[in-house]
Amino acid sequence: MHPDVVGATKEIYFFNGHYHKGLEWYREQMPPSLPGQITIEKSPTYFTSTDKVATVERVYRFSKVVSGELKLLVVVRDPTERVLSDYTDTKLRLKRVKGVEIKPIEAYVLNKENNGIDNTSSIIRLGIYSHYLKKWAQYFTNKQLQFVSGESLVYNTFEEIVLVEKFLNLTRYFTRKHFYFNKRKGFPCFRPNPGKSKMHFCLPANKGRKHVPISSKTVQLLRDFYRPHNENFYQFCNKSFNWP
């Protein structure tokens, strides 16, 4: 929404999916831009693609050979809430597939032998942010990485967006009047011309869905499991997100 920023309209997954198609293909996915504008793209799995795919090295080479100065925004949220959101999304998608059994969330997060958290489960490992950050920190400095609080984006939208503006060295554009909280959705909406037009943009229907029910015991196990990993993450990025 910032006038000095243009972004791809879809998730590209170039560095961890379509890299073989080459840089010209990647360029073609981007919108036209003017001198002085920043071009961005969003591909959620870049950050966690550090073990089997050379994503980090590819992004680093791109920054050195093609793009020049590159900055990376990583939106993170309470990993326990991330697990619930991930499972809710998976459950809704599997409902559309005939013959596929939808197991309770405990089947995906608990170790059958001791009923503790299964740290080998992919849905669990994705929330261990410090594991992935170690790889990115080998190639990019703190000045190139900005960790955006998913909770603040929802409840302190203006303040969090201002931090992003500063990180990207953008001209100050946003005001508090650009945002309002949609209580029905539980998310903020954006007004491009506050006071002049009633036009607004809200997140699509697949955002803000209620999480599936989960026992308080399982929630506590998740929080206890993630707490030391969260502390490691805070130290790495020099910022506390105050997750429970």
Side-chain angles (χ1 to χ4, degrees):
M1 297 300 184
H2 195 291
D4 294 335
V5 176
V6 292
T9 56
K10 61 181 180 180
E11 296 168 356
I12 308 298
Y13 299 107
F14 173 64
F15 294 102
N16 64 349
H18 300 286
Y19 196 71
H20 62 283
K21 296 180 180 179
L23 286 172
E24 192 55 39
W25 179 89
Y26 187 49
R27 195 193 315 276
E28 290 171 356
Q29 311 310 306
M30 300 303 173
S33 60
L34 299 171
Q37 286 186 316
I38 293 175
T39 303
I40 65 172
E41 66 114 327
K42 175 178 73 77
S43 298
T45 58
Y46 282 165
F47 181 65
T48 54
S49 296
T50 60
D51 295 335
K52 297 180 181 179
V53 184
T55 305
V56 184
E57 292 91 334
R58 291 170 179 175
V59 174
Y60 178 74
R61 286 198 299 270
F62 178 79
S63 70
K64 291 298 181 182
V65 178
V66 181
S67 71
E69 184 183 19
L70 187 70
K71 292 194 173 185
L72 305 168
L73 289 163
V74 187
V75 182
V76 291
R77 67 183 303 190
D78 176 354
T80 296
E81 294 298 322
R82 196 216 66 79
V83 167
L84 300 180
S85 177
D86 195 344
Y87 175 78
T88 300
D89 182 67
T90 301
K91 184 175 181 179
L92 290 173
R93 285 189 288 106
L94 289 178
K95 274 186 176 181
R96 306 187 193 107
V97 182
K98 291 183 179 180
V100 176
E101 180 186 1
I102 305 172
K103 299 178 181 179
I105 188 172
E106 282 77 10
Y108 295 90
V109 303
L110 297 182
N111 185 314
K112 294 180 181 179
E113 295 181 1
N114 59 20
N115 276 332
I117 298 300
D118 182 3
N119 61 7
T120 66
S121 168
S122 61
I123 197 173
I124 293 295
R125 290 185 61 79
L126 288 173
I128 307 176
Y129 305 136
S130 57
H131 171 77
Y132 307 103
L133 179 54
K134 288 178 183 177
K135 183 73 172 183
W136 288 94
Q138 292 175 16
Y139 291 84
F140 296 94
T141 66
N142 287 342
K143 293 182 179 180
Q144 294 172 283
L145 282 160
Q146 174 85 346
F147 292 92
V148 180
S149 166
E151 288 81 13
S152 289
L153 271 182
V154 174
Y155 298 109
N156 300 295
T157 311
F158 171 70
E159 289 81 0
E160 196 69 28
I161 289 294
V162 167
L163 293 177
V164 174
E165 280 183 316
K166 290 180 179 178
F167 173 69
L168 296 177
N169 296 319
L170 292 167
T171 302
R172 186 72 174 269
Y173 170 73
F174 296 105
T175 67
R176 293 185 185 278
K177 292 181 180 179
H178 278 104
F179 308 98
Y180 73 92
F181 191 77
N182 185 322
K183 293 182 179 180
R184 183 180 63 84
K185 288 285 294 181
F187 275 104
C189 298
F190 178 75
R191 298 186 185 101
N193 298 297
K196 298 180 181 179
S197 170
K198 293 184 179 180
M199 181 186 296
H200 63 271
F201 298 94
C202 296
L203 292 173
N206 65 335
K207 300 295 183 182
R209 296 171 300 199
K210 289 185 178 181
H211 290 164
V212 295
I214 183 173
S215 71
S216 58
K217 180 181 178 180
T218 302
V219 169
Q220 192 59 52
L221 284 171
L222 286 166
R223 297 208 183 283
D224 291 343
F225 171 81
Y226 279 122
R227 193 167 293 114
H229 296 295
N230 293 342
E231 291 297 332
N232 288 337
F233 178 64
Y234 299 163
Q235 291 179 14
F236 258 108
C237 58
N238 297 316
K239 179 177 180 179
S240 176
F241 293 89
N242 298 312
W243 294 321

